[in-house]
Amino acid sequence: MESLRESHIHHRVGRSLIFFPLPFQGHINPMLQLANILYSRGFSIIIIHIHFNSPNPQNYPHFTFYSIPDGLEHDVSTADIIYFVKLLNIECVEPFRDGLSRLLLDFKEEPISCIITDAVWHFTQVVADSIKLPRIVLRTSDISSFHVFAAFPLLREKGYFRAKDSKLEESIIEIPPLKVKDLPDVKTQDPEDLHRYVAKLMDESKASSGLIWNSFEELEQDSLTRLCQHFPIPIFTLGPFHKYLPASSSSLLTQDQSCISWLDAQAPNSVLYVSFGSLAAITKNEFLEIAWGLASSNQPFLWVVRPGLVQSSGCLEPLPNGFLEMVGERGYIVKWAPQQEVLAHPATGGFWTHNGWNSTLEGICEGVPMICQPSFGDQKVIARYVSDVWKIGIHLDYTLGRGKIERTIKRLMAEAEGQRIRETIMSLQEKAKLCVRQGGSSYRSLASLVDYILSFKT
Ligand code: UDP
């Protein structure tokens, strides 16, 4: 992969920016991409990070990395993500404050203009305020699901969170086309923690100096208009970030490049790429249904089976007996893939995804139609938008029988319905391509972000 060359870099502006990524793959990738974009606009970049899931500085020799302690016990699990994030937002306050104060003293020559932190690091607003440093928030998901989180108090008041099974198919009239079953739930030991966390994220985002989105105007026009009404702070839609510059890897796991040679030997648009991102976990039974559904679909597939994909087994789940014999050369399995390259490969014709926002955006950028199998949180809202609003995928609707899987794969990969979806996503792909070019909506938004940051007193 090509690295960031001098030719990509505008003149230096003599200012530094501090980034503070949340230590999860789907949050690290867009934040480091954004850091690269702003580096190319002349800013010096400092990345504050904790030990857990820390990025590899060797892939970013042009950045300064600054490590702070996270105060976490070694064996703390991320299985309860809300609890984990709550802990981080408590334990990191002092180390972050200390680190920031030190950096402000050290970077006198290229003064620090502001911090750019993940929205989930809500505690950073209070710290930034206390030292009078502007904080800009990066929300690494889509705008539409942000509205759903913003509506939590209302949805709660209306009783949607208590809805019984018989009501799950009903529409949420306040937020079409969402159904009750699409509400972003996250399993956690104390459900109140989820509501408290969402309220904090919203309040501290509103209190910030601006909000950045890895999305683009043409994709989320209505949601963006609504956002501007409810969040009267500067808002920047600069996405898709990964299309500005040659990629630098921020992968926490080693990407198995061997699948690219396997793809090279496959027919155009014939391969279904199957990946559920870095966190989603399925049951053992779902794993078996997926395996047999893939086997009986007769479609070539590339499947990411990462350690921990199957719930409560931290390691690699064994494939069922007879599976490999049945699929032979038609299937290829890796622990972790170079996803953007896979999606961009001409042989890839479909993407069975959990609809994490990065995966969804990467799929759109390469014009690959989707099968939607969201797992938790924002993924459920994104999946509903993919299938019902943008019409670029088929929703599995939360049931995973092998017969249904086989049928859905055929609908997407071999039938007229799949062809229509392909045409729709290819026209979105075109819009995604244009918006980051000179004069495009994201390109202009980036220019106004740069001007805005340069307007901060240092
Ligand atoms: N990814 C990857 N290899 C894989 C699967 C995923 O490099 O085998 C990358 C993918 O390109 C995306 C990120 O991991 O940038 C996953 O982010 P996403 O928001 O889709 O999901 P999350 O992991 O946060 O649930």
Side-chain angles (χ1 to χ4, degrees), residues 40 69 77-78 93 123 136 173 178 254 298 324 348 395 419 441 452:
S40 78
S77 156
T78 55
V93 178
F123 82 84
I136 298 182
I173 39 175
L178 229 61
T254 307
N298 269 329
L324 288 176
T348 305
H395 205 305
Q419 193 46 38
S441 61
Y452 181 55

Side-chain angles (χ1 to χ4, degrees), residues 24-30 33 140-141 242 249-256 273-280 303-306 334-343 351 353-362 375-376 378-379 382:
F24 291 107
Q25 189 71 77
H27 293 251
I28 294 170
N29 289 0
Q33 287 155 5
T140 58
S141 188
H242 69 288
S249 177
S250 49
S251 192
L252 296 166
L253 298 172
T254 307
Q255 296 176 320
D256 185 341
Y273 169 60
V274 188
S275 171
F276 308 127
S278 62
L279 293 170
W303 186 13
V304 177
V305 180
R306 58 157 226 277
V334 291
K335 286 188 200 155
W336 195 244
Q339 180 161 302
Q340 290 174 21
E341 278 174 78
V342 168
L343 289 170
F351 183 15
T353 169
H354 71 310
N355 288 119
W357 182 240
N358 296 287
S359 294
T360 305
L361 204 54
E362 289 161 14
S375 172
F376 67 91
D378 57 351
Q379 298 157 14
I382 297 167

Side-chain angles (χ1 to χ4, degrees), residues 204-231:
E204 303 300 12
S205 295
K206 219 172 224 172
S208 75
S209 299
L211 262 172
I212 301 174
W213 299 87
N214 187 13
S215 186
F216 55 102
E217 226 175 275
E218 289 78 359
L219 183 66
E220 294 200 275
Q221 186 65 70
D222 293 350
S223 300
L224 178 60
T225 308
R226 246 177 336 125
L227 183 75
C228 295
Q229 286 159 0
H230 295 291
F231 281 70

Side-chain angles (χ1 to χ4, degrees), residues 189-412:
Q189 54 185 22
D190 177 3
E192 278 307 308
D193 273 349
L194 173 63
H195 291 273
R196 276 193 286 263
Y197 152 77
V198 169
K200 267 281 183 217
L201 187 147
M202 287 299 149
D203 289 350
E204 303 300 12
S205 295
K206 219 172 224 172
S208 75
S209 299
L211 262 172
I212 301 174
W213 299 87
N214 187 13
S215 186
F216 55 102
E217 226 175 275
E218 289 78 359
L219 183 66
E220 294 200 275
Q221 186 65 70
D222 293 350
S223 300
L224 178 60
T225 308
R226 246 177 336 125
L227 183 75
C228 295
Q229 286 159 0
H230 295 291
F231 281 70
I233 53 174
I235 286 168
F236 307 94
T237 46
L238 318 181
F241 294 169
H242 69 288
K243 285 296 176 187
Y244 282 84
L245 296 162
S248 315
S249 177
S250 49
S251 192
L252 296 166
L253 298 172
T254 307
Q255 296 176 320
D256 185 341
Q257 291 289 336
S258 68
C259 58
I260 301 296
S261 337
W262 179 82
L263 281 172
D264 289 342
Q266 310 302 318
N269 281 341
S270 68
V271 174
L272 180 68
Y273 169 60
V274 188
S275 171
F276 308 127
S278 62
L279 293 170
I282 55 179
T283 63
K284 193 175 170 74
N285 188 46
E286 287 170 336
F287 180 75
L288 293 178
E289 293 303 310
I290 291 171
W292 291 123
L294 285 171
S296 52
S297 73
N298 269 329
Q299 200 71 35
F301 63 88
L302 167 60
W303 186 13
V304 177
V305 180
R306 58 157 226 277
L309 172 65
V310 173
Q311 279 163 17
S312 56
S313 90
C315 47
L316 214 52
E317 186 69 18
L319 291 159
N321 280 340
F323 174 80
L324 288 176
E325 293 73 10
M326 183 166 166
V327 301
E329 298 285 296
R330 186 166 57 77
Y332 201 83
I333 293 176
V334 291
K335 286 188 200 155
W336 195 244
Q339 180 161 302
Q340 290 174 21
E341 278 174 78
V342 168
L343 289 170
H345 196 287
T348 305
F351 183 15
W352 183 357
T353 169
H354 71 310
N355 288 119
W357 182 240
N358 296 287
S359 294
T360 305
L361 204 54
E362 289 161 14
I364 290 174
C365 287
E366 304 309 333
V368 186
M370 302 174 208
I371 294 175
C372 309
Q373 187 198 326
S375 172
F376 67 91
D378 57 351
Q379 298 157 14
K380 294 168 130 193
V381 180
I382 297 167
R384 189 57 63 198
Y385 269 75
V386 164
S387 61
D388 292 26
V389 178
W390 301 319
K391 302 189 190 308
I392 54 174
I394 302 176
H395 205 305
L396 274 174
D397 268 320
Y398 309 100
T399 49
L400 270 188
R402 62 190 75 180
K404 180 174 184 185
I405 291 170
E406 181 188 336
R407 189 71 213 102
T408 308
I409 294 175
K410 288 193 171 134
R411 278 169 64 196
L412 189 81

Side-chain angles (χ1 to χ4, degrees), residues 148 170-172 175-180 182-183 381 384-385:
V148 180
E170 289 182 7
S171 300
I172 297 184
I175 315 180
L178 229 61
K179 300 179 182 186
V180 174
D182 302 325
L183 269 182
V381 180
R384 189 57 63 198
Y385 269 75

